[in-house]
Amino acid sequence: MPQPRRPLQPNRSAVDWFGAEIRYWRELRGLTPKQLGDLVGLSPDAVEKIEKGDRLLSAEHAGKMDQELRTGGILARFRPFAKAEADKRRIEADRRRIVSPSPRPRGKLDGKQPTREVTLEAHAFAASPPEGGWDDPQQVFSQVRALTGATIMGAAEIVDSSIIALVESYEARGPQALAPEARSLRALSHQLLADRGLGANDRRDLLHLAGRVSALLAYMAVNAGAPLLTSQAYAVEAAALADEIGDTNLAVWVAGTRSLSLYYAGSYAQADAIAAAGIARAPASAQSIRLLVNGRARALGRLHNRYGAEKAIRQALDLAAQHELPSGLTSCIALDEPYSHARLLANAVTARLSLGDAGQVNELASQIEGLVDSSDSAWSRALVRLDQATACLVGKSPDVDRAMELGRQALRAGEVTPIRSVLQRAQELHQAAAPWSTHSAVRDYAAALTTWRSSPAAGLLTT
């Protein structure tokens, strides 16, 4: 009797999703595993293993399958995500098989008294080896340290420079691509902090760096659409480390991220409360600009508290006038920079939209349009366009064609490295356009949104 097909679990991992997608397209085209294998040069057994997630398709065969199955290139585009996960699985398997030996009994070993047990069990890293065949330098450092127990100078510098690199490349690469690297840094910083021989100053420096890594992971989790508890856990860890060394700047920044995660979870009152508590800790700090406009004003706007939202925007502008702010459109994940004036206005646009102030939305958006368009931040371009698009549907004379055109522009801007906020606002624009659902421009936008959401990168958002 033929064996029943193994049910696929595409939501379990990127590799499983990849295999399930291949089976979907194969069956859609009415092909058996053997027929597809003959077309692309694979055995039926290989095709079945790939569909089950037991084997990864090569880049060459992914291209051939895209061509034969007429997928529009989805397999070749998604394969890097599946490969990254497959590499992670391989590293973890190697670590369990080779690097984690059975515990040795305490006492003398070869005539020498061990000072402590050495194991790599606590130092597993999620990051995959970089393309080109080189090992991850963080893994090399970790493994040498764990095997020898040696203290290697410059470890803090490795973590610090890696944090800078993460921040600088964040908007170009996105949270899904960078989260494994950040998790690797977190594991490394925790490993270093476990050294009982650390001096007080070295320990303080490492606590500072570990707190920054956790803060970045909290923000990445929000952007990637991870569960609320995940982002909150990283944020709580970052806040605890900041409090341990009295780093008020980091503590306030983390409060902003906690507020942001609650905002996207729809807990607007809690988001406002967390932001208000952060401001109370350092009301004159430049970091409180973010808490006022990104935290309080937007949450209060969602609660339809006009007085509170407008007051928070005014307070943010007043506080900004007391500080020398950076120019341009600052990075959304910069840990040390305060919000620039353009970033402040971009958040005020969102708050005003929640209050139904279409005129104010367009006026504020026009003030920063040039900076947004010339910015490296595709996310900012997408988000401002989506706010402007929704504003076109508010008021006595809705401009549906203009709204949908701005919406399509936003989708194009945010398609390379999509994030949760772009997806959420794009969906809200579609909901706002429901009264005009038969309009051709609305139908075109709906089709574009469906295509955008079905892309491999957008599929990784766990909303």
Side-chain angles (χ1 to χ4, degrees), residues 86-405:
D87 287 342
K88 171 185 171 181
R89 289 183 180 180
R90 176 179 53 78
I91 291 170
E92 289 294 318
D94 289 344
R95 179 187 64 78
R96 288 191 296 269
R97 185 176 64 252
I98 299 172
V99 181
S100 299
S102 301
R104 289 179 293 195
R106 293 180 180 273
K108 292 185 178 182
L109 180 65
D110 297 330
K112 297 181 181 180
Q113 180 71 31
T115 57
R116 57 176 173 166
E117 294 182 56
V118 177
T119 176
L120 291 187
E121 184 65 33
H123 314 314
F125 290 91
S128 303
E131 293 293 334
W134 303 106
D135 291 302
D136 182 342
Q138 296 165 18
Q139 288 178 291
V140 172
F141 170 80
S142 172
Q143 291 164 356
V144 170
R145 179 178 174 80
L147 289 169
T148 66
T151 299
I152 299 177
M153 298 301 293
E157 285 80 358
I158 292 175
V159 179
D160 192 24
S161 61
S162 297
I163 290 173
I164 294 171
L166 283 177
V167 171
E168 290 179 346
S169 62
Y170 183 67
E171 295 206 22
R173 296 179 61 191
Q176 289 89 355
L178 290 176
E181 296 179 26
R183 290 177 60 202
S184 173
L185 283 176
R186 177 176 177 269
L188 176 56
S189 62
H190 286 201
Q191 172 199 348
L192 295 169
L193 283 165
D195 189 339
R196 296 179 182 178
L198 276 176
N201 289 337
D202 289 339
R203 180 171 177 77
R204 180 181 178 84
D205 289 344
L206 285 169
L207 284 170
H208 171 70
L209 294 172
R212 290 164 73 83
V213 172
S214 297
L216 291 178
L217 278 165
Y219 197 94
M220 290 180 183
V222 177
N223 277 175
L228 175 63
L229 186 59
T230 300
S231 59
Q232 290 287 312
Y234 284 129
V236 167
E237 178 177 82
L241 294 171
D243 288 342
E244 178 73 13
I245 58 174
D247 189 342
T248 303
N249 185 76
L250 180 60
V252 175
W253 196 93
V254 171
T257 301
R258 289 192 68 191
S259 175
L260 184 70
S261 65
L262 288 163
Y263 175 88
Y264 281 116
S267 300
Y268 305 123
Q270 287 181 278
D272 176 52
I274 290 291
I279 294 166
R281 293 193 61 167
S285 167
Q287 287 293 342
S288 289
I289 298 171
R290 175 181 178 226
L291 286 171
L292 283 163
V293 70
N294 181 273
R296 298 213 68 190
R298 298 201 317 167
L300 290 167
R302 288 282 187 166
L303 293 168
H304 307 293
N305 184 339
R306 176 176 293 277
Y307 173 79
E310 290 182 342
K311 180 180 178 181
I313 293 172
R314 287 196 304 271
Q315 289 176 326
L317 290 168
D318 290 343
L319 184 56
Q322 300 172 30
H323 292 273
E324 185 176 346
L325 303 183
S327 59
L329 197 67
T330 46
S331 170
C332 63
I333 203 169
L335 289 165
D336 300 310
E337 283 187 324
Y339 264 22
S340 64
H341 191 69
R343 179 68 68 183
L344 190 165
L345 293 182
N347 281 272
V349 166
T350 305
R352 288 288 184 184
L353 180 62
S354 296
L355 296 172
D357 298 338
Q360 284 286 321
V361 168
N362 289 318
E363 180 181 340
L364 292 172
S366 66
Q367 294 181 38
I368 59 174
E369 188 171 10
L371 286 173
V372 171
D373 288 343
S374 61
S375 159
D376 291 333
S377 175
W379 298 335
S380 295
R381 292 197 297 275
L383 292 171
V384 172
R385 288 285 183 274
L386 287 167
D387 283 346
Q388 288 178 294
T390 304
C392 288
L393 301 177
V394 177
K396 296 180 179 179
S397 302
D399 189 341
V400 178
D401 288 320
R402 175 64 174 159
M404 298 300 99
E405 173 56 29

